[in-house]
Amino acid sequence: QKFQYDFSGLLGTVYRRGNLSFTRDGSSLVSPVGNRISLFDLKNNKCETLPLATRHNIVCVGLSPDGSLAILVDEEGAALLVSLVGKSVIHQFHFHKPVHSVSFSPDGKKFVITKDNVALMYHAPGKKREFNAFVLDKTYYGPYDETTCIDWTDDSKCFAVGSKDMSTWVFGAERWANLIYYSLGGHKDVIVACFFEENSLDLYTVSQDGALCVWQCDTELDGLKPMPPKEARKKNRIKEDEEFLEESKGEEIHGKAHPNEQEIREKVKYSRVAKYFFNKEGDFNNLTSAAYHKKTHLLVTGFASGVFHLHELPDFNLIHSLSISDQRIASISINCTGDWIAFGCSGISWAYKSEVYLIEIIGRLLLSLLQVKVWNTSSSFCFVTFTDHTSGVTAVTFTSSGYVVLSASLDGTVRAFDLHRYRNFRTFTSPRPSQFSCLAVDSSGEIVSAGSQDSFEIYIWSMQSGRLLDVLAGHEGPISSLSFNPVKCVLASGSWDKTVKLWDMLDSWRTKETLMLNSDVLVVAFRPDGKELAVASLNGQITFWDHENAVQVGSIEGRHDLQMGRKELDKITAKQSAKGKSFTTLCYSADGQSILAGGLSKFVCIYNVKEQILMKKFEISCNLSLDAMEEYLDRRKMTEFGSMALIDEGAGDEDGVAIPLPGVKRGDMSYRRFKPEIRVTCLRFSPTGRSWAATTTEGLLIYSLDSGLIFDPFELDIDVTPSNIRKTLHQKEYAMAIIMALKLNEKKLIQEVIEAVPSDEVEVVCSSLPDLYVEKVLEFLASAFEISCHLEFYLIWAHKLLMLHGQKLKTRSQKLLPVIQFLQKSIQRHFEDVSKLCEWNIYNIKYALAISQQRGMKRLAETSVDEEESESDSDYLMQEGHKDSLSS
């Protein structure tokens, strides 16, 4: 059970390509990230990556109108029909060629995909069970070049398709008597997007040269006439004949760009009523994406320079113009209410609301370029980005308190960032400029060390004062890794000079021991209890050392476990290239019984340290868009002149920013496409031991321990059954029932038994539990805190267990540390949530009191005025009565 870690989340994934889509309610964004998709909850600031993947990068995402289904299409044309409710794959299909766009009809009954120069309309999968989810209905021909975009009318009667041949085609979803197809010209460049007006056949078309054409139709949607009965019967006869075929090929509709007069008689006609141009200064004319919100008549256009414009149609009034990136804006989407606009750029995706920039949705990798990003693993959102470094970041680490992040960089600085105020409060530098390759901080958080890759020295600073304390010399090669002993004041340093040196902090940083290895040292790591040191070297071995006695206690030959893939341009096989590969990152589990190892491979290996055997291999990606994924090259891509990968098809393509080169109209001829190589750069276990993270080419992946799907009994005997447990519980033998439930190890049954214990008897039950089962109960409480609403009840359990068994638990603190940290994390999260709620309630109560006081003052003032008026009235009446008495 300890090794049943399942994919849990994906953070910092690079947005490469594909369209962004909002869900039906407009509060969530669906974004392709490599070969997976992520759902961003914009209201609750949470993100979730679905546990499914395509074989290549996703290029098209189509959402059904009810938001329950999604069609994902990758670069090769392979499609997945996905249930967003069940988060699982329902059907697989292959279109055999790259698909440019996919769109469901507003009524959800059909969907259209475009590939090459055709548009294919399929019956959308329904609620009932079907043998084939994708049934072809019609094939539409017309454009001479590749199709680029799709848009539907609101009643699903017609749809429009844009093309690279500068034309836009309007097709009828059914064979209407007065509209089967219609071709629109008027542009001088590729059609980027086309949009129907609300409840109308009027159309807007946008081209890449920054031109907008407004087309008016002489017929309303209600004016579309059904096909005459004779033609309808003929069509039905064709359909009946197709039912006897193995696969229905659907009806074919061939459009003509220049039909004759007889064909256009009594047909729908379009006329261009206006043509507008965007700002042509600089790169603004290279329009790359657009989106239109029909209810608010808002047109959003993105350009290759990272600028976007907001216009109001049909008058083309400019509302706003902003720049969000220096990258090409590849995709734009607007939610149903018009509150949110999503922009997809190469490597970044942004969300924009109400003319105020709010959040960066998808960032780069955790350690990419010059940035340090801090992520919330519960919400999967990046909540702070530090951009103080001026060169590549090579290492990051937290202090033991968790409120300080340190980062080392090739710019020659080590920076400390405060997570309370989100600022860089310390900058550590060396006497001579050095490029830092590794970083470590001691358990107290007071001593910071960094290794240099050019001067072969280790620098020691004080966190409190920021002063340089010492420079440790002795290595004869670049410093590759540093690690502090979590228990003792010892620093281990690994170098390319085939040695590991142990430095004693308490003895003026003298070299305590020097461990000699047979190959260059790449990474060192201490076990959590500080009694063992693991070293990974260039020859593919992981060696384990008793550093106190300088004795090697074990080794693992891990080169064959890496299972390297072959790059497309490699001259040697994967088996031969694996001989020169090794692990580049190591990490012990929280209990120290296993170790994670990763390197230049798509696999992460977890080993049992005591037995020195491989327990499990995790495949971090199945994305064939990355290099070195397959062990053997595809022979279909091999020619007599070499691999097809040597041919660069991406040169001079329209995706590049227009650069004025001689004889070049668009794109940069020096631009080259390349496949990023799959690799694991860093591995870390969480302090609770229930999850681990890996920084990879695909992003920051998190794997969590999911024990709910596994039957793993503990000291089970024949009498321990659910019925016997409930019988014991009914007899009010609570301690025995808890022990039996823990033996069966069924989570729901344990919850049922513990919640049946009266709160006033919790202390008695806790005192009678054996020590062996106290740990099990604490582990259950930690996991129950995350999902249960019985907060006070479980806090009573945790408090009584720790108070009654605290001294005995302290003797096994190293072993129980992951469980205690897991419990602390769960309680801390509830504390933060309840604190926010209480603060909010305090402000609400103060506001209510202030309002009630104001109303009380008003009422008091009104009553005083009424009393004065009544007194004046009574005085007046007394005077009048006195006058009457005198007159009488």
Side-chain angles (χ1 to χ4, degrees), residues 374-428:
V374 186
W375 301 83
N376 185 325
T377 54
S378 299
S379 64
S380 299
F381 265 67
C382 170
F383 63 89
V384 62
T385 302
F386 300 108
T387 58
D388 300 81
H389 285 294
T390 57
S391 188
V393 178
T394 55
V396 292
T397 185
F398 279 95
T399 58
S400 57
S401 66
Y403 296 114
V404 176
V405 175
L406 291 113
S407 61
S409 171
L410 297 177
D411 62 5
T413 64
V414 173
R415 296 179 183 271
F417 302 99
D418 183 4
L419 293 184
H420 283 302
R421 298 178 179 85
Y422 302 128
R423 63 187 180 92
N424 175 207
F425 71 95
R426 285 280 187 276
T427 301
F428 308 101

Short mmCIF file of all heavy atoms in Angstrom, two decimals, residues 374-428:
data_model
loop_
_atom_site.label_atom_id
_atom_site.label_comp_id
_atom_site.label_asym_id
_atom_site.label_seq_id
_atom_site.Cartn_x
_atom_site.Cartn_y
_atom_site.Cartn_z
N VAL A 374 5.62 30.01 -6.08
CA VAL A 374 5.17 29.25 -4.92
C VAL A 374 3.73 28.85 -5.15
O VAL A 374 2.89 29.70 -5.45
CB VAL A 374 5.31 30.06 -3.62
CG1 VAL A 374 4.99 29.19 -2.42
CG2 VAL A 374 6.72 30.63 -3.49
N TRP A 375 3.46 27.54 -5.01
CA TRP A 375 2.15 26.98 -5.35
C TRP A 375 1.44 26.48 -4.11
O TRP A 375 2.07 25.97 -3.19
CB TRP A 375 2.31 25.81 -6.32
CG TRP A 375 2.98 26.18 -7.60
CD1 TRP A 375 4.32 26.29 -7.81
CD2 TRP A 375 2.36 26.54 -8.83
NE1 TRP A 375 4.57 26.67 -9.10
CE2 TRP A 375 3.39 26.84 -9.75
CE3 TRP A 375 1.04 26.62 -9.24
CZ2 TRP A 375 3.12 27.21 -11.05
CZ3 TRP A 375 0.78 26.99 -10.54
CH2 TRP A 375 1.81 27.28 -11.44
N ASN A 376 0.14 26.61 -4.11
CA ASN A 376 -0.70 26.01 -3.08
C ASN A 376 -1.16 24.65 -3.58
O ASN A 376 -1.90 24.56 -4.56
CB ASN A 376 -1.91 26.92 -2.80
CG ASN A 376 -2.75 26.42 -1.65
OD1 ASN A 376 -2.90 25.23 -1.44
ND2 ASN A 376 -3.33 27.35 -0.90
N THR A 377 -0.71 23.57 -2.95
CA THR A 377 -1.02 22.24 -3.45
C THR A 377 -2.48 21.87 -3.25
O THR A 377 -2.98 20.98 -3.93
CB THR A 377 -0.14 21.19 -2.75
OG1 THR A 377 -0.28 21.31 -1.34
CG2 THR A 377 1.32 21.37 -3.13
N SER A 378 -3.18 22.54 -2.35
CA SER A 378 -4.60 22.24 -2.15
C SER A 378 -5.44 22.79 -3.30
O SER A 378 -6.35 22.13 -3.79
CB SER A 378 -5.09 22.83 -0.82
OG SER A 378 -4.39 22.27 0.26
N SER A 379 -5.13 24.03 -3.73
CA SER A 379 -5.90 24.66 -4.79
C SER A 379 -5.23 24.53 -6.15
O SER A 379 -5.85 24.81 -7.18
CB SER A 379 -6.12 26.14 -4.48
OG SER A 379 -4.87 26.82 -4.46
N SER A 380 -3.93 24.14 -6.17
CA SER A 380 -3.14 24.03 -7.41
C SER A 380 -2.96 25.38 -8.09
O SER A 380 -2.79 25.44 -9.31
CB SER A 380 -3.78 23.03 -8.38
OG SER A 380 -3.85 21.76 -7.81
N PHE A 381 -3.00 26.45 -7.32
CA PHE A 381 -2.80 27.78 -7.87
C PHE A 381 -1.48 28.36 -7.40
O PHE A 381 -1.07 28.14 -6.25
CB PHE A 381 -3.93 28.72 -7.46
CG PHE A 381 -5.03 28.83 -8.48
CD1 PHE A 381 -5.84 27.74 -8.75
CD2 PHE A 381 -5.25 30.00 -9.17
CE1 PHE A 381 -6.85 27.82 -9.68
CE2 PHE A 381 -6.27 30.09 -10.11
CZ PHE A 381 -7.06 29.00 -10.36
N CYS A 382 -0.83 29.11 -8.27
CA CYS A 382 0.37 29.86 -7.90
C CYS A 382 -0.06 31.15 -7.22
O CYS A 382 -0.80 31.94 -7.80
CB CYS A 382 1.20 30.16 -9.15
SG CYS A 382 2.55 31.30 -8.87
N PHE A 383 0.37 31.36 -5.96
CA PHE A 383 -0.11 32.55 -5.25
C PHE A 383 0.95 33.63 -5.12
O PHE A 383 0.64 34.74 -4.68
CB PHE A 383 -0.66 32.17 -3.87
CG PHE A 383 0.35 31.58 -2.91
CD1 PHE A 383 1.09 32.39 -2.07
CD2 PHE A 383 0.54 30.22 -2.84
CE1 PHE A 383 2.00 31.85 -1.19
CE2 PHE A 383 1.43 29.67 -1.96
CZ PHE A 383 2.18 30.48 -1.14
N VAL A 384 2.20 33.36 -5.52
CA VAL A 384 3.20 34.43 -5.53
C VAL A 384 4.31 34.06 -6.50
O VAL A 384 4.67 32.88 -6.65
CB VAL A 384 3.76 34.69 -4.12
CG1 VAL A 384 4.48 33.47 -3.57
CG2 VAL A 384 4.70 35.89 -4.10
N THR A 385 4.83 35.06 -7.21
CA THR A 385 5.94 34.88 -8.14
C THR A 385 7.01 35.91 -7.83
O THR A 385 6.73 37.11 -7.76
CB THR A 385 5.46 35.06 -9.60
OG1 THR A 385 4.43 34.12 -9.88
CG2 THR A 385 6.61 34.85 -10.57
N PHE A 386 8.23 35.43 -7.63
CA PHE A 386 9.36 36.32 -7.35
C PHE A 386 10.23 36.40 -8.61
O PHE A 386 10.64 35.38 -9.15
CB PHE A 386 10.20 35.79 -6.18
CG PHE A 386 9.43 35.67 -4.89
CD1 PHE A 386 9.09 34.42 -4.38
CD2 PHE A 386 9.04 36.80 -4.18
CE1 PHE A 386 8.39 34.30 -3.20
CE2 PHE A 386 8.33 36.69 -3.00
CZ PHE A 386 8.00 35.44 -2.51
N THR A 387 10.50 37.63 -9.04
CA THR A 387 11.25 37.84 -10.29
C THR A 387 12.54 38.62 -10.05
O THR A 387 12.97 39.38 -10.91
CB THR A 387 10.36 38.59 -11.30
OG1 THR A 387 9.94 39.84 -10.72
CG2 THR A 387 9.14 37.78 -11.67
N ASP A 388 13.16 38.44 -8.87
CA ASP A 388 14.34 39.24 -8.53
C ASP A 388 15.61 38.74 -9.22
O ASP A 388 16.55 39.50 -9.39
CB ASP A 388 14.55 39.22 -7.01
CG ASP A 388 13.36 39.80 -6.26
OD1 ASP A 388 12.37 39.08 -6.07
OD2 ASP A 388 13.42 40.99 -5.89
N HIS A 389 15.67 37.45 -9.57
CA HIS A 389 16.88 36.92 -10.19
C HIS A 389 17.02 37.43 -11.62
O HIS A 389 16.03 37.65 -12.32
CB HIS A 389 16.85 35.39 -10.19
CG HIS A 389 17.13 34.79 -8.84
ND1 HIS A 389 18.36 34.89 -8.21
CD2 HIS A 389 16.35 34.07 -8.01
CE1 HIS A 389 18.30 34.26 -7.05
NE2 HIS A 389 17.09 33.76 -6.89
N THR A 390 18.26 37.57 -12.05
CA THR A 390 18.55 38.05 -13.40
C THR A 390 19.12 36.97 -14.29
O THR A 390 19.50 37.24 -15.43
CB THR A 390 19.53 39.24 -13.34
OG1 THR A 390 20.73 38.82 -12.67
CG2 THR A 390 18.92 40.41 -12.60
N SER A 391 19.22 35.74 -13.79
CA SER A 391 19.67 34.61 -14.59
C SER A 391 18.93 33.36 -14.12
O SER A 391 18.10 33.43 -13.20
CB SER A 391 21.18 34.43 -14.46
OG SER A 391 21.64 33.46 -15.38
N GLY A 392 19.23 32.22 -14.72
CA GLY A 392 18.50 31.00 -14.44
C GLY A 392 18.57 30.58 -12.99
O GLY A 392 19.61 30.64 -12.35
N VAL A 393 17.42 30.12 -12.45
CA VAL A 393 17.36 29.60 -11.08
C VAL A 393 17.73 28.12 -11.11
O VAL A 393 17.18 27.35 -11.90
CB VAL A 393 15.94 29.79 -10.49
CG1 VAL A 393 15.87 29.22 -9.09
CG2 VAL A 393 15.57 31.27 -10.50
N THR A 394 18.66 27.71 -10.24
CA THR A 394 19.16 26.33 -10.25
C THR A 394 18.67 25.50 -9.08
O THR A 394 18.68 24.27 -9.16
CB THR A 394 20.70 26.34 -10.24
OG1 THR A 394 21.15 27.11 -9.11
CG2 THR A 394 21.25 26.96 -11.52
N ALA A 395 18.25 26.13 -7.97
CA ALA A 395 17.81 25.35 -6.80
C ALA A 395 16.90 26.21 -5.94
O ALA A 395 17.08 27.44 -5.86
CB ALA A 395 19.01 24.88 -5.99
N VAL A 396 15.93 25.57 -5.28
CA VAL A 396 15.07 26.24 -4.30
C VAL A 396 14.88 25.32 -3.11
O VAL A 396 14.98 24.09 -3.23
CB VAL A 396 13.68 26.60 -4.87
CG1 VAL A 396 13.75 27.66 -5.92
CG2 VAL A 396 12.97 25.37 -5.40
N THR A 397 14.63 25.91 -1.95
CA THR A 397 14.36 25.11 -0.75
C THR A 397 13.62 25.96 0.27
O THR A 397 13.74 27.19 0.28
CB THR A 397 15.67 24.58 -0.13
OG1 THR A 397 15.37 23.72 0.96
CG2 THR A 397 16.56 25.70 0.36
N PHE A 398 12.83 25.29 1.11
CA PHE A 398 12.14 25.93 2.22
C PHE A 398 12.99 25.79 3.48
O PHE A 398 13.74 24.83 3.63
CB PHE A 398 10.79 25.25 2.49
CG PHE A 398 9.68 25.69 1.57
CD1 PHE A 398 9.39 24.97 0.44
CD2 PHE A 398 8.93 26.81 1.86
CE1 PHE A 398 8.36 25.34 -0.40
CE2 PHE A 398 7.90 27.19 1.03
CZ PHE A 398 7.61 26.47 -0.11
N THR A 399 12.83 26.73 4.40
CA THR A 399 13.37 26.53 5.74
C THR A 399 12.40 25.64 6.52
O THR A 399 11.28 25.39 6.09
CB THR A 399 13.54 27.88 6.46
OG1 THR A 399 12.27 28.54 6.53
CG2 THR A 399 14.53 28.77 5.74
N SER A 400 12.82 25.18 7.69
CA SER A 400 12.00 24.26 8.48
C SER A 400 10.69 24.91 8.93
O SER A 400 9.68 24.24 9.13
CB SER A 400 12.77 23.75 9.69
OG SER A 400 13.22 24.85 10.48
N SER A 401 10.69 26.25 9.10
CA SER A 401 9.46 26.93 9.53
C SER A 401 8.42 26.99 8.43
O SER A 401 7.22 27.09 8.69
CB SER A 401 9.79 28.36 9.99
OG SER A 401 10.26 29.13 8.89
N GLY A 402 8.86 26.92 7.16
CA GLY A 402 7.94 26.96 6.04
C GLY A 402 7.56 28.34 5.60
O GLY A 402 6.77 28.50 4.66
N TYR A 403 8.09 29.38 6.24
CA TYR A 403 7.72 30.76 5.89
C TYR A 403 8.81 31.49 5.12
O TYR A 403 8.67 32.67 4.83
CB TYR A 403 7.37 31.55 7.15
CG TYR A 403 6.15 31.01 7.86
CD1 TYR A 403 6.25 30.43 9.12
CD2 TYR A 403 4.90 31.05 7.26
CE1 TYR A 403 5.13 29.91 9.77
CE2 TYR A 403 3.77 30.55 7.89
CZ TYR A 403 3.89 29.98 9.15
OH TYR A 403 2.79 29.46 9.78
N VAL A 404 9.89 30.80 4.81
CA VAL A 404 10.99 31.41 4.05
C VAL A 404 11.37 30.46 2.91
O VAL A 404 11.51 29.25 3.12
CB VAL A 404 12.21 31.69 4.94
CG1 VAL A 404 13.38 32.23 4.09
CG2 VAL A 404 11.86 32.67 6.04
N VAL A 405 11.50 31.01 1.71
CA VAL A 405 11.96 30.25 0.54
C VAL A 405 13.30 30.82 0.11
O VAL A 405 13.46 32.04 0.00
CB VAL A 405 10.95 30.35 -0.62
CG1 VAL A 405 11.50 29.65 -1.86
CG2 VAL A 405 9.63 29.75 -0.24
N LEU A 406 14.26 29.94 -0.12
CA LEU A 406 15.58 30.35 -0.61
C LEU A 406 15.78 29.83 -2.02
O LEU A 406 15.32 28.73 -2.36
CB LEU A 406 16.69 29.82 0.29
CG LEU A 406 16.76 30.45 1.68
CD1 LEU A 406 16.42 29.41 2.72
CD2 LEU A 406 18.12 31.04 1.95
N SER A 407 16.48 30.60 -2.84
CA SER A 407 16.75 30.19 -4.22
C SER A 407 18.17 30.57 -4.60
O SER A 407 18.67 31.62 -4.22
CB SER A 407 15.75 30.87 -5.18
OG SER A 407 15.88 32.28 -5.10
N ALA A 408 18.82 29.68 -5.33
CA ALA A 408 20.16 29.92 -5.85
C ALA A 408 20.08 30.11 -7.36
O ALA A 408 19.23 29.50 -8.02
CB ALA A 408 21.08 28.75 -5.51
N SER A 409 20.97 30.94 -7.89
CA SER A 409 20.86 31.29 -9.30
C SER A 409 22.24 31.39 -9.94
O SER A 409 23.26 31.54 -9.25
CB SER A 409 20.10 32.61 -9.46
OG SER A 409 20.16 33.08 -10.79
N LEU A 410 22.26 31.33 -11.26
CA LEU A 410 23.49 31.51 -12.02
C LEU A 410 23.91 32.97 -12.07
O LEU A 410 24.98 33.29 -12.60
CB LEU A 410 23.30 30.98 -13.45
CG LEU A 410 23.02 29.48 -13.58
CD1 LEU A 410 22.80 29.10 -15.04
CD2 LEU A 410 24.18 28.66 -13.01
N ASP A 411 23.07 33.89 -11.52
CA ASP A 411 23.47 35.30 -11.49
C ASP A 411 24.40 35.61 -10.32
O ASP A 411 24.76 36.78 -10.11
CB ASP A 411 22.23 36.21 -11.42
CG ASP A 411 21.40 35.99 -10.16
OD1 ASP A 411 21.83 35.21 -9.29
OD2 ASP A 411 20.31 36.59 -10.06
N GLY A 412 24.79 34.58 -9.54
CA GLY A 412 25.75 34.77 -8.46
C GLY A 412 25.13 35.19 -7.15
O GLY A 412 25.85 35.66 -6.26
N THR A 413 23.83 35.01 -6.98
CA THR A 413 23.16 35.39 -5.73
C THR A 413 22.34 34.23 -5.19
O THR A 413 21.85 33.39 -5.96
CB THR A 413 22.23 36.61 -5.92
OG1 THR A 413 21.17 36.26 -6.81
CG2 THR A 413 23.00 37.80 -6.45
N VAL A 414 22.19 34.22 -3.87
CA VAL A 414 21.22 33.37 -3.20
C VAL A 414 20.26 34.32 -2.50
O VAL A 414 20.68 35.17 -1.72
CB VAL A 414 21.89 32.42 -2.18
CG1 VAL A 414 20.84 31.68 -1.37
CG2 VAL A 414 22.80 31.44 -2.88
N ARG A 415 18.97 34.17 -2.77
CA ARG A 415 17.98 35.11 -2.25
C ARG A 415 17.02 34.40 -1.31
O ARG A 415 16.63 33.26 -1.55
CB ARG A 415 17.21 35.79 -3.39
CG ARG A 415 18.10 36.64 -4.29
CD ARG A 415 17.32 37.28 -5.42
NE ARG A 415 18.19 38.04 -6.30
CZ ARG A 415 18.50 39.33 -6.14
NH1 ARG A 415 17.97 40.00 -5.11
NH2 ARG A 415 19.31 39.94 -6.96
N ALA A 416 16.63 35.10 -0.25
CA ALA A 416 15.65 34.60 0.72
C ALA A 416 14.38 35.43 0.59
O ALA A 416 14.44 36.67 0.62
CB ALA A 416 16.22 34.68 2.13
N PHE A 417 13.25 34.75 0.47
CA PHE A 417 11.96 35.42 0.26
C PHE A 417 11.04 35.14 1.45
O PHE A 417 10.92 34.01 1.91
CB PHE A 417 11.30 34.93 -1.02
CG PHE A 417 12.13 35.15 -2.26
CD1 PHE A 417 12.88 34.10 -2.80
CD2 PHE A 417 12.18 36.38 -2.88
CE1 PHE A 417 13.65 34.29 -3.92
CE2 PHE A 417 12.94 36.58 -4.01
CZ PHE A 417 13.68 35.53 -4.53
N ASP A 418 10.40 36.19 1.92
CA ASP A 418 9.47 36.11 3.05
C ASP A 418 8.07 35.83 2.52
O ASP A 418 7.54 36.58 1.70
CB ASP A 418 9.50 37.46 3.80
CG ASP A 418 8.61 37.44 5.04
OD1 ASP A 418 8.05 36.37 5.33
OD2 ASP A 418 8.49 38.48 5.69
N LEU A 419 7.46 34.73 2.98
CA LEU A 419 6.12 34.37 2.52
C LEU A 419 5.02 35.04 3.32
O LEU A 419 3.84 34.79 3.07
CB LEU A 419 5.94 32.84 2.57
CG LEU A 419 6.80 32.05 1.59
CD1 LEU A 419 6.46 30.58 1.65
CD2 LEU A 419 6.64 32.57 0.17
N HIS A 420 5.38 35.88 4.31
CA HIS A 420 4.38 36.69 5.00
C HIS A 420 4.14 37.99 4.24
O HIS A 420 3.00 38.38 3.99
CB HIS A 420 4.84 37.01 6.42
CG HIS A 420 4.68 35.86 7.38
ND1 HIS A 420 3.46 35.27 7.63
CD2 HIS A 420 5.58 35.19 8.14
CE1 HIS A 420 3.61 34.29 8.50
NE2 HIS A 420 4.89 34.22 8.83
N ARG A 421 5.25 38.65 3.88
CA ARG A 421 5.14 39.95 3.19
C ARG A 421 5.45 39.86 1.70
O ARG A 421 5.38 40.85 1.01
CB ARG A 421 6.10 40.95 3.86
CG ARG A 421 5.77 41.21 5.32
CD ARG A 421 6.78 42.18 5.93
NE ARG A 421 6.48 42.46 7.33
CZ ARG A 421 6.87 41.71 8.35
NH1 ARG A 421 7.59 40.61 8.11
NH2 ARG A 421 6.56 42.01 9.59
N TYR A 422 5.83 38.67 1.24
CA TYR A 422 6.12 38.44 -0.18
C TYR A 422 7.19 39.41 -0.70
O TYR A 422 6.94 40.17 -1.63
CB TYR A 422 4.84 38.54 -1.02
CG TYR A 422 3.76 37.58 -0.60
CD1 TYR A 422 2.47 38.01 -0.32
CD2 TYR A 422 4.03 36.23 -0.46
CE1 TYR A 422 1.48 37.12 0.08
CE2 TYR A 422 3.05 35.33 -0.06
CZ TYR A 422 1.78 35.79 0.20
OH TYR A 422 0.81 34.91 0.59
N ARG A 423 8.35 39.36 -0.06
CA ARG A 423 9.44 40.23 -0.49
C ARG A 423 10.78 39.51 -0.31
O ARG A 423 10.90 38.56 0.45
CB ARG A 423 9.44 41.53 0.30
CG ARG A 423 9.70 41.34 1.79
CD ARG A 423 9.54 42.63 2.58
NE ARG A 423 9.80 42.42 3.99
CZ ARG A 423 10.98 42.60 4.58
NH1 ARG A 423 12.01 42.99 3.84
NH2 ARG A 423 11.14 42.39 5.88
N ASN A 424 11.77 39.99 -1.05
CA ASN A 424 13.13 39.48 -0.94
C ASN A 424 13.83 40.24 0.20
O ASN A 424 14.20 41.39 0.05
CB ASN A 424 13.86 39.70 -2.27
CG ASN A 424 15.32 39.33 -2.23
OD1 ASN A 424 16.12 39.86 -2.99
ND2 ASN A 424 15.71 38.42 -1.35
N PHE A 425 13.98 39.57 1.37
CA PHE A 425 14.53 40.27 2.53
C PHE A 425 16.01 40.00 2.76
O PHE A 425 16.64 40.66 3.59
CB PHE A 425 13.73 39.91 3.79
CG PHE A 425 13.94 38.50 4.28
CD1 PHE A 425 14.87 38.22 5.27
CD2 PHE A 425 13.21 37.45 3.75
CE1 PHE A 425 15.06 36.94 5.73
CE2 PHE A 425 13.40 36.16 4.21
CZ PHE A 425 14.33 35.90 5.20
N ARG A 426 16.62 39.03 2.08
CA ARG A 426 18.06 38.78 2.19
C ARG A 426 18.59 38.40 0.82
O ARG A 426 17.97 37.65 0.07
CB ARG A 426 18.34 37.62 3.15
CG ARG A 426 18.19 37.95 4.61
CD ARG A 426 19.42 38.69 5.17
NE ARG A 426 19.28 38.84 6.60
CZ ARG A 426 18.62 39.80 7.20
NH1 ARG A 426 18.01 40.73 6.47
NH2 ARG A 426 18.53 39.87 8.52
N THR A 427 19.77 38.93 0.51
CA THR A 427 20.48 38.56 -0.70
C THR A 427 21.91 38.21 -0.32
O THR A 427 22.64 39.06 0.22
CB THR A 427 20.48 39.71 -1.73
OG1 THR A 427 19.12 40.04 -2.06
CG2 THR A 427 21.21 39.29 -3.00
N PHE A 428 22.29 36.97 -0.57
CA PHE A 428 23.63 36.49 -0.21
C PHE A 428 24.49 36.45 -1.47
O PHE A 428 24.07 35.90 -2.50
CB PHE A 428 23.55 35.08 0.40
CG PHE A 428 22.57 34.96 1.54
CD1 PHE A 428 21.31 34.40 1.34
CD2 PHE A 428 22.89 35.41 2.81
CE1 PHE A 428 20.40 34.28 2.37
CE2 PHE A 428 21.99 35.29 3.85
CZ PHE A 428 20.74 34.73 3.63
#
